[in-house]
Amino acid sequence: MSIKAIAAKLFAKKIVRKTQEWAQNPVATQETVFKKLIKEAQNTQFGIDHHFEQIQSHADFVQKVPIRDYEGLKYYIDRVVNGEENVLWKGKPIYFAKTSGTTSGAKYIPLTKESMPTHIKASRNAILHYIHETGNADFVDGKMIFLQGSPILTEKNGIKLGRLSGIAAHFVPGYLQKNRMPSWETNCIEDWETKVNAIVEETIKEDMRVISGIPSWVQMYFEKLQQKAQKPVGELFQNFNLFIYGGVNFEPYRAKFENLIGRKVDSIELFPASEGFFAYQDAQKEKGMLLLLNSGIFYEFIKSEEFFNENPKRYTIGEVELGVNYVLIISTNAGLWGYNIGDTVQFTSLKPYRVIVSGRIKHYISAFGEHVIGKEVESALQEAIQGTTIRINEFTVAPQITPKEGLPYHEWFIEFENEPEDEVAFAEAIDQAMRKQNIYYDDLIVGNVLRKVVITKVAKNGFQDYMKSIGKLGGQNKIPRLSNDRKIAVFFENKN
């Protein structure tokens, strides 16, 4: 074992011990974070407008700070973008993470000198927890690749601006610089297909041991590798044993990945966003990701079914329950206050607090009152392919409210790698799994309001074509698992 691997194990032990200290005192940890945030931002414009000097408790905070999304906070963010100081947080941000918004056009998420280090430490600590648990540190001596956006930054009123993954590329620690791939020049390529082809050329003969990225885009990289090398990825990279991912549920991709790799590899799930790094998988044998309670983020949770009520109850960490679907609300040391990031979570453990991402509050199907969420369609698909040779590249679900004939239905657009031998039986398996999970959906089927799911096959690379058509191919962009309209469906209808 190398000196670097030994050092990694020792450092991992130290970090895990520190993590356990705050994880075993979750309520007190969050209370400390809350008080510090309020105190630090008391003299900002937002703090003055919302009477932070009067806030002594969470109840005070609820009374004075309403829930907002980006649009709701845009008045303040625009002032920060225009160069004002002490608006949402003391001083100015050091970066803006630029993301694409649905109603706002481009969104500018502030990153401060207090918040940026938490993103970097969380990524590091996820890997250190894995090392500590498994004893596997040999990968630190090989090559690692992080499929991410371009690290090229621009400036807006003196503040650097770029994609979060591109900004993070500037913070890769020195001891990993020699291991990291692709090259800086390749990483700066904007066109995703050109970039992946260049990455294949650079990495195909290297000792790749860790590969990281959003599953759909890593899959594209693997397919190109396999096509060029004419052998499984695991045979090409014999020491590749760790896949790190975030952004989407990996389970629908797992069978396809194992086929492309030729064997199983360990994986670590992350829950990063421009607004904060919220959780990472801290244990290989436990379900869910450890919620980061000491990273400058104060969390509130609203039950999904209550979210659109006039004054929904805002729960703190000590009040949450297992298995309930919550909208995640954050207040952070980047100056986001009572901020709805749009993700929903469910707790899988309360000692320590672990979560899974269950979907998006805007990504659901309830055209008939069924309240179907992302986690349900992913679980149904996973159950239906269990024990079969069916492999899925990508999928999305949309309601068909006005069919040409018969009852309405949920339409599943699926790009198969290996198609089912019996498509009717496969659709039936998905439908049965959905009915077991969602009582409202079951009632609609029993009551003959809906007919059973309909599967529409999508041609090879169809989802890539869709993402390209909307200018979101590659990087951190993801296909919505489901939607309450047929905007995506129309694209595939026009292709057929």
Side-chain angles (χ1 to χ4, degrees), residues 346 370-383 412 430-442:
Q346 290 180 8
E370 59 270 50
H371 309 298
V372 171
I373 62 173
K375 176 179 175 291
E376 291 170 342
V377 297
E378 289 177 336
S379 296
L381 186 63
Q382 188 180 341
E383 187 174 326
W412 289 59
I430 291 175
D431 201 77
Q432 288 296 326
M434 283 299 306
R435 291 175 67 179
K436 281 190 292 183
Q437 290 186 92
N438 188 305
I439 189 171
Y440 305 109
Y441 179 78
D442 184 57

Side-chain angles (χ1 to χ4, degrees), residues 8 30 40 60 91-92 119 133 140-141 157 170 201 230 242 280 377 381 386 390 443-444:
Q30 276 284 274
E40 294 282 316
D60 294 338
K92 286 185 178 184
H119 289 266
E133 180 186 15
V140 301
D141 295 312
N157 294 319
H170 292 261
E201 293 298 328
Q230 292 297 300
L242 182 58
Y280 58 70
V377 297
L381 186 63
Q386 196 77 34
I390 299 166
D443 287 344
L444 291 167

Side-chain angles (χ1 to χ4, degrees), residues 71 117 132 139 144 168 234 271 313 321 342 361-362 365 373 400 445 473 484:
E71 281 293 305
H132 182 74
F139 61 83
M144 307 176 185
F271 184 10
K313 180 171 172 55
E321 304 169 62
I361 193 62
K362 291 182 179 178
I365 297 178
I373 62 173
Q400 176 50 275
I445 297 291
L473 182 67
N484 206 37

Side-chain angles (χ1 to χ4, degrees), residues 96 192 428 471:
F96 287 120
W192 186 252
E428 175 68 24

Side-chain angles (χ1 to χ4, degrees), residues 101-122:
T102 51
T103 57
S104 317
K107 292 164 61 176
Y108 298 91
I109 306 299
L111 296 165
T112 63
K113 63 179 173 37
E114 290 83 8
S115 72
M116 192 63 217
T118 64
H119 289 266
I120 309 308
K121 286 179 182 177

Side-chain angles (χ1 to χ4, degrees), residues 42-325:
Q42 191 168 306
N43 296 319
T44 63
Q45 190 58 57
F46 189 92
I48 293 166
D49 290 349
H50 294 80
H51 307 288
F52 274 23
E53 81 282 356
Q54 297 174 17
I55 295 177
Q56 300 296 320
S57 65
H58 177 243
D60 294 338
F61 185 74
V62 168
Q63 189 177 36
K64 297 184 185 305
V65 180
I67 300 299
R68 292 176 168 97
D69 57 12
Y70 187 85
E71 281 293 305
L73 208 60
K74 194 170 184 294
Y75 163 74
Y76 290 98
I77 293 176
D78 283 349
R79 291 173 63 177
V80 180
V81 172
N82 288 334
E84 284 190 51
E85 295 186 7
N86 304 314
V87 178
L88 286 164
W89 190 252
K90 56 190 180 182
K92 286 185 178 184
I94 53 174
Y95 297 100
F96 287 120
K98 186 179 180 181
T99 67
S100 55
T102 51
T103 57
S104 317
K107 292 164 61 176
Y108 298 91
I109 306 299
L111 296 165
T112 63
K113 63 179 173 37
E114 290 83 8
S115 72
M116 192 63 217
T118 64
H119 289 266
I120 309 308
K121 286 179 182 177
S123 299
R124 179 201 71 187
N125 291 354
I127 296 173
L128 291 173
H129 272 76
Y130 171 81
I131 290 173
H132 182 74
E133 180 186 15
T134 65
N136 174 20
D138 292 341
F139 61 83
V140 301
D141 295 312
K143 297 291 187 180
M144 307 176 185
I145 189 167
F146 302 92
L147 292 176
Q148 56 192 188
S150 170
I152 295 174
L153 304 179
T154 56
E155 279 199 8
K156 200 167 185 69
N157 294 319
I159 299 171
K160 291 180 180 177
L161 169 71
R163 298 173 186 148
L164 176 65
S165 61
I167 293 168
H170 292 261
F171 288 85
V172 175
Y175 59 85
L176 289 181
Q177 287 289 2
K178 289 183 180 178
N179 303 63
R180 187 183 78 162
M181 298 196 79
S183 66
W184 185 266
E185 292 74 21
T186 295
N187 217 12
C188 290
I189 297 172
E190 287 288 348
D191 179 75
W192 186 252
E193 289 180 291
T194 304
K195 182 173 187 169
V196 174
N197 288 331
I199 291 172
V200 168
E201 293 298 328
E202 281 193 1
T203 58
I204 197 164
K205 294 182 179 178
E206 296 289 347
D207 180 19
M208 304 304 302
R209 300 192 185 186
V210 178
I211 296 172
S212 175
I214 288 177
S216 51
W217 308 125
V218 174
Q219 179 177 303
M220 183 178 176
Y221 166 57
F222 283 173
E223 287 171 340
K224 287 179 180 292
L225 276 171
Q226 189 182 64
Q227 187 178 10
K228 187 171 180 64
Q230 292 297 300
K231 61 176 71 172
V233 173
E235 192 177 322
L236 185 65
F237 301 145
Q238 294 184 9
N239 294 315
F240 166 46
N241 281 302
L242 182 58
F243 172 52
I244 304 173
Y245 68 95
V248 298
N249 183 3
F250 181 46
E251 291 309 316
Y253 299 94
R254 190 177 292 277
K256 176 67 187 293
F257 264 60
E258 288 177 1
N259 179 258
L260 285 167
I261 298 166
R263 53 183 164 81
K264 293 184 178 181
V265 298
D266 286 346
S267 60
I268 302 174
E269 183 176 9
L270 310 178
F271 184 10
S274 299
E275 295 87 352
F277 202 123
F278 307 120
Y280 58 70
Q281 184 180 349
D282 66 316
Q284 289 289 298
K285 295 179 182 178
E286 299 291 339
K287 185 179 181 182
M289 297 171 282
L290 183 70
L291 189 65
L292 304 181
L293 302 176
N294 73 328
S295 295
I297 302 170
F298 177 71
Y299 299 95
E300 297 174 278
F301 307 90
I302 299 175
K303 292 180 179 178
S304 292
E305 66 265 26
E306 299 174 1
F307 182 74
F308 295 105
N309 295 351
E310 191 171 342
N311 285 301
K313 180 171 172 55
R314 293 155 66 172
Y315 297 88
T316 56
I317 194 66
E319 302 171 300
V320 296
E321 304 169 62
L322 292 174
V324 175
N325 208 44

